[in-house]
Amino acid sequence: MPRCLQGRLIWEVVQGNGKDQRHVLFSGMDELSLIEKYLAAAERDVADATRRTTVQRELVAKLERDDRDATTARVLLVTFELSLASHVRERDRLIRERKRVAGSA
């Protein structure tokens, strides 16, 4: 899937040998430095999403302990958990990409 990260990184997918091969075109930074930059941001996103999820989980528990309606809080918790999972997948993808690039250097 073509992807642009802040206008600096463009993924071009080329079909070859029965599976997609990704080629990166970029300007101004070497590929590994750019991946490291986005990986640092992804790590911050995971940490933030983890904190939000933890706080929301505690709020749901408190509402339920106090015998109050926690329906909306539970729905929001599910949303936060899905967001966290998405951030973790992106971080893990960047880690794999960093290993691939570092291994080919």
Side-chain angles (χ1 to χ4, degrees), residues 6-100:
Q6 294 182 355
R8 302 199 85 189
L9 180 65
I10 301 169
W11 293 91
E12 178 185 293
V13 179
V14 179
Q15 191 70 14
N17 297 332
K19 64 196 262 195
D20 288 340
Q21 297 175 1
R22 294 177 186 257
H23 299 276
V24 180
L25 308 173
F26 56 91
S27 63
M29 296 179 84
D30 69 84
E31 187 176 1
L32 190 56
S33 295
L34 194 56
I35 291 169
E36 290 289 345
K37 175 183 172 182
Y38 288 108
L39 180 56
E43 292 286 3
R44 286 189 301 273
D45 291 342
V46 168
D48 291 344
T50 299
R51 279 190 294 277
R52 277 192 304 276
T53 302
T54 299
V55 168
Q56 191 66 20
R57 192 173 287 120
E58 290 168 356
L59 177 61
V60 167
K62 181 181 182 338
L63 289 169
E64 290 173 344
R65 264 193 322 272
D66 295 345
D67 200 29
R68 297 179 60 196
D69 183 14
T71 304
T72 303
R74 278 193 300 272
V75 169
L76 189 54
L77 175 59
V78 169
T79 301
F80 287 167
E81 289 170 337
L82 291 171
S83 176
L84 173 58
S86 177
H87 288 304
V88 167
R89 278 192 306 276
E90 177 62 5
R91 181 205 56 201
D92 292 350
R93 184 193 67 77
L94 288 165
I95 289 169
R96 287 189 306 274
E97 187 66 11
R98 179 181 60 185
K99 287 178 184 175
R100 182 195 65 79

